[in-house]
Amino acid sequence: MKSLKFVSLLVIVSLVFTSCKDEKKEGEIKTTETVENTITYVVKPEATNVKWTAYKTTDKVPVGGEFATLNFEEKAGATPEEALNNLEFSIPVSSLFTKDETRDEKLKTSFFGAMLNPELLKGKIKYANNTYAAEITMNGVTKDLPLEVNITDERRVSMKGTMDLKDWDALGALESLNKVCFDLHKGADGVSKTWEDVAIEVSTFLRDK
C-alpha cells in the first residue's frame, strides 16, 4: 500500500514539472537579430575622366582629346542616381590634352581664349524623371546638356552627350579656331570646316565607401 502511494506521488510530481516546463516553452519569446544591409555608392574625382571628340573637314574627321583634371567633392548616395544627382564639378581649361602640344595651345588660346571666363568650365549633374543632364556653364552661358547614361552591374558609369556650340554662343570662338587651323581643317574638296557639334563622354566608377 505504501508502495502504491509512493508511485502515485512520483507520477504527480512528474506531471507538475512537465507542465511547468511546457508553460515556460510557450511563454518564451524568440528574438532574431536583423542586420541592415546598406549599400553606398561613392563618386570620386580620381576615378572620373572627361573625353571629347570634335570634327574637322567636310568629311567630319574626328579629333579626340580630354581634360586631365576634373574637380569635385566626393559624393555618396544609397543609389547610383542619388550619388550622381547634384554633383557639382569644375574643369580647368589648362588641363586640356590632345597628345599634340601645338593643337592644345591653339584650342586654349584661339577657342577657349575667345570666350568669356576662358579659364574654367563649371557644371552640375542632374537627375529627374529617369533622365540625366549636365548643367554646363561655358562662355558665360548656362545650358543643360542631355546625357545618355549607362550603369553596369560592376558600378561602371558612362555618360554621353553631344554639345552644340551655338547653344553656348560659342560659334564666334569656333570661327576664331578655324582661322588659325584653316589649312589643317581642309579636306579633299579644299574646303576648310570645323564642326559645331562636340561629343562628350564622362566615365566613372561608383566605389563603396
Side-chain angles (χ1 to χ4, degrees):
M1 192 70 175
K2 287 182 180 180
S3 176
L4 182 60
K5 287 182 179 180
F6 180 72
V7 171
S8 299
L9 180 62
L10 285 178
V11 171
I12 292 171
V13 171
S14 177
L15 287 174
V16 169
F17 274 104
T18 302
S19 175
C20 290
K21 190 175 181 181
D22 289 342
E23 284 177 4
K24 185 178 179 182
K25 283 184 177 180
E26 290 176 3
E28 286 179 352
I29 299 175
K30 292 183 178 181
T31 59
T32 56
E33 292 184 6
T34 57
V35 178
E36 189 177 355
N37 185 22
T38 58
I39 298 176
T40 304
Y41 298 88
V42 184
V43 196
K44 295 189 175 185
E46 61 269 25
T48 308
N49 63 69
V50 180
K51 294 182 179 180
W52 53 265
T53 304
Y55 306 94
K56 65 179 183 178
T57 80
T58 52
D59 291 329
K60 207 169 187 179
V61 176
V63 178
E66 63 182 283
F67 289 102
T69 302
L70 177 63
N71 299 316
F72 61 83
E73 296 292 328
E74 287 184 15
K75 190 168 182 301
T79 64
E81 293 80 9
E82 185 179 307
L84 292 167
N85 189 36
N86 290 322
L87 187 153
E88 296 185 3
F89 61 87
S90 64
I91 302 172
V93 170
S94 59
S95 70
L96 183 146
F97 178 68
T98 67
K99 298 181 181 180
D100 184 321
E101 291 184 5
T102 301
R103 181 191 294 137
D104 293 354
E105 189 60 28
K106 288 178 180 178
L107 286 166
K108 292 173 185 177
T109 58
S110 297
F111 180 65
F112 287 106
M115 296 184 185
L116 296 173
N117 307 317
E119 295 85 9
L120 205 64
L121 304 177
K122 294 182 179 181
K124 178 172 65 176
I125 302 297
K126 300 192 297 186
Y127 176 80
N129 301 320
N130 294 319
T131 60
Y132 284 90
E135 181 186 273
I136 297 175
T137 300
M138 182 176 74
N139 195 32
V141 178
T142 301
K143 288 278 188 180
D144 281 354
L145 174 66
L147 294 173
E148 178 185 332
V149 177
N150 181 51
I151 304 173
T152 69
D153 292 339
E154 292 79 24
R155 296 179 175 229
R156 300 193 180 279
V157 181
S158 172
M159 296 182 277
K160 297 180 180 180
T162 300
M163 174 181 282
D164 191 332
L165 295 176
K166 72 172 181 290
D167 292 338
W168 281 266
D169 295 340
L171 294 185
L174 188 67
E175 184 179 352
S176 171
L177 177 65
N178 196 58
K179 283 181 180 179
V180 298
C181 299
F182 190 82
D183 290 331
L184 293 171
H185 288 195
K186 280 183 181 179
D189 56 4
V191 176
S192 179
K193 182 175 178 63
T194 308
W195 294 74
E196 64 184 60
D197 53 317
V198 180
I200 308 294
E201 182 175 1
V202 180
S203 300
T204 192
F205 179 75
L206 298 172
R207 302 185 184 278
D208 192 348
K209 194 169 184 179

